[in-house]
Amino acid sequence: MRYTLSALAEQTGAGLSGSGDVIVEKVADITSGEEGSIVFVSNAKYTKHLKTTDASAVIITDKMLQSCDKPALVTENPRVVFSKVALLLNPLPKVEPWISPHAVIAEDADVDPSARIEACVVIQSGVSIGPGTWLSPGCVLEKNVRIGANTRLFANVTIGEGCTVGDNTILHSGAVVGADGFGFVWDQDAYMKVPQLGSVNIGNSVEIGANTTIDRGAIGDTIVEDGVKIDNLVQLGHNDHVGEHTTMSGQSGISGSVKIGRKCVIGGGVGIGDNLEITDNVILAGRSNVANSIKEPGMYAAVIPVVEARKWRRILARIKQLDELAKRIKALESKNK
Amino acid sequence: MRYTLSALAEQTGAGLSGSGDVIVEKVADITSGEEGSIVFVSNAKYTKHLKTTDASAVIITDKMLQSCDKPALVTENPRVVFSKVALLLNPLPKVEPWISPHAVIAEDADVDPSARIEACVVIQSGVSIGPGTWLSPGCVLEKNVRIGANTRLFANVTIGEGCTVGDNTILHSGAVVGADGFGFVWDQDAYMKVPQLGSVNIGNSVEIGANTTIDRGAIGDTIVEDGVKIDNLVQLGHNDHVGEHTTMSGQSGISGSVKIGRKCVIGGGVGIGDNLEITDNVILAGRSNVANSIKEPGMYAAVIPVVEARKWRRILARIKQLDELAKRIKALESKNK
Amino acid sequence: MRYTLSALAEQTGAGLSGSGDVIVEKVADITSGEEGSIVFVSNAKYTKHLKTTDASAVIITDKMLQSCDKPALVTENPRVVFSKVALLLNPLPKVEPWISPHAVIAEDADVDPSARIEACVVIQSGVSIGPGTWLSPGCVLEKNVRIGANTRLFANVTIGEGCTVGDNTILHSGAVVGADGFGFVWDQDAYMKVPQLGSVNIGNSVEIGANTTIDRGAIGDTIVEDGVKIDNLVQLGHNDHVGEHTTMSGQSGISGSVKIGRKCVIGGGVGIGDNLEITDNVILAGRSNVANSIKEPGMYAAVIPVVEARKWRRILARIKQLDELAKRIKALESKNK
């Protein structure tokens, strides 16, 4: 797609500085922009590139205008305008309704005629699929799954029996929704499986990453509210409840029966223990671990970043002596009273 | 299904207190029980709910009887009885023998007539599948795989060439058994792949979580003994050996040639280094890391849970100074002799 | 396959000690060798087994010859020679060209006649597949994917639109290449998805583990250079760039826009934060976390291995007091000036 800069200003609501007639046909990175491209700067440390980029137009804040003589879209939030421009220049493919002859669909499934079902998709009895929803090859929808409108399942996604997915939601390849939760009780001489009787309810405008797993509830359901964004290889345990607009980065892992509030930001690789409650607006630094409920919004952390291995060996030896070191300080204090 | 409470007492071996004629038709959580449901309490902090639940019956210990005037199943282990009741009320679906016309099965594969093979399952040459075993859509069984009786593979599971799975075992969706172990040797100017010649042997009554990966052995096999329960997104490396009735929670990761004993409890996200040996009955706290063999049963840990990020920055600065701080303590001690 | 020891010496370039007529037909572990097998020792602590093994031949260094009276291949690098021998004795299966009637291939896809395409593989429009390449069942190749020669995709691998894979590369089951990167911007009252417009370029002689996920770039591509070896359940974020011959062990996770140099060794479960740069020849200890760019080659670490839980509780309490302890040391020093 090609747009004039003035058309982009109009469609994104950004201000216009300089010629609106410039033709823009692709987005680029500020360090690599070429003719016909548009770039953005939101971080002051990149403003220096505004002088050297070959991009035809830029997206910047009002403040940066003085460092720039290019045609510009002016906005308080360059990243948002850039995303809108990128989407205008690269519109999502229209969903062409189709049912592959190589899909396997139960007779009583209710597939909207505007949906697209690709090869080797298996849809079991009682499933319903809303308008404009698109299933890539290899997806498996077990009995009584319900999927809303304009939702996209990429290849090889599995949705377990009775689980529901809302509208405008995206599940990336290999995601597994509705496997059994991990529940066992020791009974005399072996573990007995605790029946996992709940399901998973995923809201609208959710995104779920590749190979992420979301377990069904034991009693009652696992719930992912509207607008939640989950990255790849994340684990959500049984009966977890994730509040609206919370984001969870790659490889984070949430044990069972955890309640996470709204607008939280869970960093990559974060671990949260069983039965905890995290209030709204909590930020957890990547790779940190949560062992107690968090009742106050704010940022939390406890990760030790790497140092040279030789140096770490000395620190580690001291960590193991910490209790003794503290006692030696106390002894010194007694002597120095 | 519906049962009288006395029938449930009889079938589970629990004692009966109050009317045995009460009809029970579903399980519920102690905080949400309604008429017709049965709930359990095993933790004293929930006994207060016994007075307010609308459930028709409860599962409790002898001690709790005094706080409760509901019809009750009485047992020393309410969680076990609850699981048995849940299974009676929600029996597993009977496996209806069937071979989907959309399954692709090698001519020389040996599939028991009582097995169920769904659409888009691919079964290669030399595979054998026991009675009552059920393969969901999209599973791939490479050459010479052997699967026992009454085992369940959910959708899109892959079992690599020559691997074996026992009876009454469950593999959840997306699990990969028998990919090559991670073995390379540097040869002059590039890594050479070390052939991974072993396979994977999975025992009886094992459960393996969604998207979990279990690599084949390099020489000799990777072994998962009877009764082992493995959660989602777990990694087992080549030639690992996991002893009977050990549990491994989500995202735990075991390097190669690790021997884990019987009845261990491996927390979520735990890491265990190469070539280590963990004895029986070891409990590893979630997200902890093991760098040396563990020879004594017991609980082990080393994770720092999150604190406010501002506080953590100060602590972290001190951790980096630890060696110096220890030396300063020593200097003070010299002065104070 | 069977070889005489002298044939193996010739083919691997190793020296020969003792009878070259010994017949070798399989590899074994030094602790379990039997007649007809060949074993290797590269670590001095296993040389004692040289006296007791029933193996017919051994692979050892010059130095170990004195501890051993068996026929031997002699080399400075027993592990490399062993791998070569293992491959000679267990040659890779020849790829037999075939297109399963149960594969679903777009009319305009360009599949080399010497490729092998198994059942339930789905190949979309514009895809090209080179000679000798072998796709196991259930793989999905979206539009315009290009795969080189002699590459192997195991079962249920997904390659997203427009991504490329080189020659002699292996992708293990369930790997997902080219899912969207994790990019969102907050726009008034919800997150907006940042279009992920790049793709993924995977080089030659790369290996990618089971259920590993490699996201496409946002602008520009995610790049995995030649000879990179990636284990299972690894996450590579959008626009990451991994240099030649770097290895990444299981469950390591790399955020977005990270540049990793050549010949790095990334341990299992390692985490690397956004936008960092890791120079060549960096070794990161398993489960460690990187929060800043690393400019000097060498080994880095910062993991606390488990201790008895009781002991850890005391240490942890002291860690939380560290800032206060440091101040108390300072106060003591003032008194002792």
Side-chain angles (χ1 to χ4, degrees), chain A residues 228-247:
Chain A
V228 169
K229 309 298 182 187
I230 301 179
D231 199 356
N232 299 344
L233 294 169
V234 170
Q235 153 74 354
L236 275 187
H238 48 188
N239 297 100
D240 287 344
H241 184 133
V242 183
E244 283 185 321
H245 306 304
T246 280
T247 65

Side-chain angles (χ1 to χ4, degrees), chain C residues 43-85:
Chain C
N43 185 329
K45 89 176 178 191
Y46 291 102
T47 47
K48 62 182 176 196
H49 295 289
L50 288 170
K51 304 237 183 262
T52 56
T53 182
D54 290 325
S56 298
V58 299
I59 305 171
I60 52 178
T61 60
D62 197 44
K63 268 191 196 166
M64 297 174 186
L65 265 179
Q66 64 204 54
S67 333
C68 178
D69 51 9
K70 298 253 178 199
L73 298 181
V74 184
T75 169
E76 279 179 29
N77 198 335
R79 197 180 290 270
V80 167
V81 170
F82 179 79
S83 294
K84 290 178 177 174
V85 166

Side-chain angles (χ1 to χ4, degrees), chain A residues 259-273:
Chain A
K259 189 166 190 329
I260 300 177
R262 301 172 74 248
K263 295 194 188 179
C264 292
V265 177
I266 314 288
V270 163
I272 304 184

Side-chain angles (χ1 to χ4, degrees), chain B residues 36-51:
Chain B
S37 71
I38 188 166
V39 299
F40 81 103
V41 180
S42 62
N43 184 329
K45 88 176 179 192
Y46 291 102
T47 47
K48 61 183 177 195
H49 294 290
L50 287 171
K51 304 236 185 264

Side-chain angles (χ1 to χ4, degrees), chain B residues 24-272:
Chain B
V24 174
E25 52 191 15
K26 61 181 170 187
V27 295
D29 186 89
I30 179 71
T31 61
S32 67
E34 56 192 78
E35 207 189 311
S37 71
I38 188 166
V39 299
F40 81 103
V41 180
S42 62
N43 184 329
K45 88 176 179 192
Y46 291 102
T47 47
K48 61 183 177 195
H49 294 290
L50 287 171
K51 304 236 185 264
T52 55
T53 181
D54 290 324
S56 298
V58 300
I59 305 171
I60 53 178
T61 60
D62 197 43
K63 269 191 196 166
M64 296 175 186
L65 264 180
Q66 63 205 54
S67 333
C68 179
D69 50 10
K70 298 254 179 199
L73 299 181
V74 183
T75 168
E76 279 178 31
N77 198 335
R79 197 180 287 271
V80 167
V81 170
F82 180 79
S83 294
K84 289 179 178 173
V85 167
L87 194 57
L88 287 164
L89 295 172
N90 305 275
L92 291 176
K94 204 171 154 301
V95 180
E96 294 179 44
W98 184 55
I99 291 184
S100 164
H102 301 280
V104 181
I105 303 180
E107 278 186 23
D108 67 348
D110 175 18
V111 178
D112 189 275
S114 66
R116 181 176 180 85
I117 313 292
E118 304 212 25
C120 301
V121 167
V122 180
I123 295 178
Q124 297 187 336
S125 176
V127 168
S128 88
I129 294 178
T133 282
W134 179 354
L135 310 191
S136 284
C139 289
V140 177
L141 277 53
E142 295 181 355
K143 282 185 195 168
N144 302 320
V145 163
R146 281 176 296 134
I147 300 188
N150 303 313
T151 278
R152 176 78 197 264
L153 273 63
F154 283 87
N156 290 324
V157 167
T158 302
I159 315 270
E161 185 171 341
C163 296
T164 64
V165 178
D167 302 337
N168 300 304
T169 280
I170 298 173
L171 285 94
H172 288 286
S173 295
V176 176
V177 172
D180 282 345
F182 195 63
F184 302 92
V185 287
W186 187 258
D187 183 22
Q188 297 180 49
D189 55 359
Y191 283 104
M192 179 189 175
K193 182 174 173 67
V194 180
Q196 303 291 307
L197 304 171
S199 75
V200 180
N201 298 334
I202 294 175
N204 304 315
S205 303
V206 170
E207 188 154 336
I208 292 175
N211 286 344
T212 279
T213 60
I214 303 182
D215 283 351
R216 66 176 61 246
I219 308 170
D221 298 337
T222 301
I223 293 172
V224 178
E225 292 190 357
D226 293 352
V228 169
K229 309 297 183 187
I230 300 179
D231 199 356
N232 300 344
L233 294 168
V234 170
Q235 154 75 355
L236 276 187
H238 47 188
N239 297 100
D240 287 344
H241 184 133
V242 183
E244 282 186 322
H245 306 302
T246 280
T247 66
M248 304 180 62
S249 289
Q251 297 174 321
S252 46
I254 315 301
S255 302
S257 300
V258 173
K259 189 163 190 329
I260 300 177
R262 301 172 73 248
K263 296 194 186 180
C264 292
V265 178
I266 314 288
V270 163
I272 304 184

